[in-house]
Amino acid sequence: MLVRVLISGFEPFLDEKVNPTEKLAHFANSCDFHASGLSRLDVRGVVLPVVFDAAFERLESERQLFRPDVVLSFGLAGGRTRFEVEMLAVNSRGGEQTGRGDNRGQVLGGKVLNSSGAPLSLTTTLPVEKILAGLESASVPIGRSWTAGTYVCNDLFYRMQERLRFTRVRSGFIHVPRLDEATFSWPTFEKALLAILRSL
């Protein structure tokens, strides 16, 4: 059975001139997954703006067109030293920790995303254990994270989980470190994405 996977990454933001998740989304659109032994997958990538509301709107528009079975979103967390599967999305949005807000300068100051009885947090529905095992076997540093912050990454993650919570679509968010030829070279990112896709 063919499994459709929608992969999202973000454009560069603030002082981050290169966002490896943007490259992951482009790679998803150019990779020959049949040659990589993943012929059962139909994979599409989309690059999102680092803007509150607009990021989710772009993802949701692509999701409605593509109708994926899995939505796999990636974001850059520059201070991290491994790939980290986000376990919880929280019902809060901010941007104040950057000092400059999103790419349009919006700072939302801890406002809730949804105040109409929505949960305080929502969990990932990705197969976390399989992803962790797959990345470990590929020798990619990996772990769990219990906070995606309150920036655009968490904003997207929570809204995605809320939208899909009563559907069959599996979804979640993974933070990645900076692209660094000494520690996290581009081939490592490619290897990591293929290992994650094999885990689905």
Side-chain angles (χ1 to χ4, degrees):
M1 183 180 75
L2 191 67
V3 177
R4 291 185 173 186
V5 183
L6 178 60
I7 291 173
S8 75
F10 282 107
E11 66 187 0
F13 63 101
L14 302 178
D15 295 326
E16 303 289 349
K17 304 305 182 187
V18 175
N19 193 329
T21 70
E22 179 181 39
K23 292 171 67 71
L24 284 173
H26 290 312
F27 176 68
N29 288 327
S30 62
C31 179
D32 183 353
F33 289 103
H34 289 265
S36 300
L38 292 166
S39 58
R40 66 184 180 85
L41 300 183
D42 182 7
V43 183
R44 182 178 297 184
V46 58
V47 179
L48 309 177
V50 182
V51 177
F52 290 108
D53 296 323
F56 176 72
E57 290 164 6
R58 177 75 180 92
L59 180 67
E60 179 63 6
S61 175
E62 195 68 25
R63 185 188 70 81
Q64 291 186 18
L65 289 171
F66 187 47
R67 299 292 180 185
D69 303 291
V70 181
V71 180
L72 182 58
S73 293
F74 290 91
L76 169 62
R80 304 198 193 190
T81 58
R82 60 184 185 176
F83 278 64
E84 293 188 337
V85 180
E86 295 296 345
M87 304 300 292
L88 294 172
V90 296
N91 190 358
S92 179
R93 58 201 327 211
E96 64 277 0
Q97 71 269 36
T98 70
R100 287 172 286 173
D102 65 14
N103 276 0
R104 290 184 186 163
Q106 296 180 96
V107 177
L108 301 179
K111 294 179 181 178
V112 295
L113 280 155
N114 187 333
S115 58
S116 58
L120 293 176
S121 63
L122 292 167
T123 62
T124 184
T125 53
L126 295 175
V128 175
E129 297 303 325
K130 291 179 68 177
I131 290 173
L132 294 175
L135 284 167
E136 186 175 0
S137 67
S139 300
V140 176
I142 181 65
R144 293 178 179 82
S145 170
W146 295 96
T147 175
T150 58
Y151 195 47
V152 179
C153 291
N154 177 76
D155 189 80
L156 177 76
F157 184 20
Y158 186 91
R159 296 183 69 177
M160 175 173 62
Q161 298 309 101
E162 185 182 30
R163 179 62 55 88
L164 299 175
R165 62 192 293 225
F166 298 120
T167 74
R168 63 174 180 78
V169 181
R170 293 177 292 164
S171 56
F173 198 97
I174 297 175
H175 265 121
V176 306
R178 291 187 178 99
L179 179 61
D180 180 347
E181 292 305 320
T183 53
F184 274 92
S185 64
W186 178 242
T188 301
F189 279 89
E190 290 184 353
K191 180 173 65 171
L193 180 58
L194 293 175
I196 291 167
L197 290 173
R198 290 189 181 98
S199 303
L200 299 178

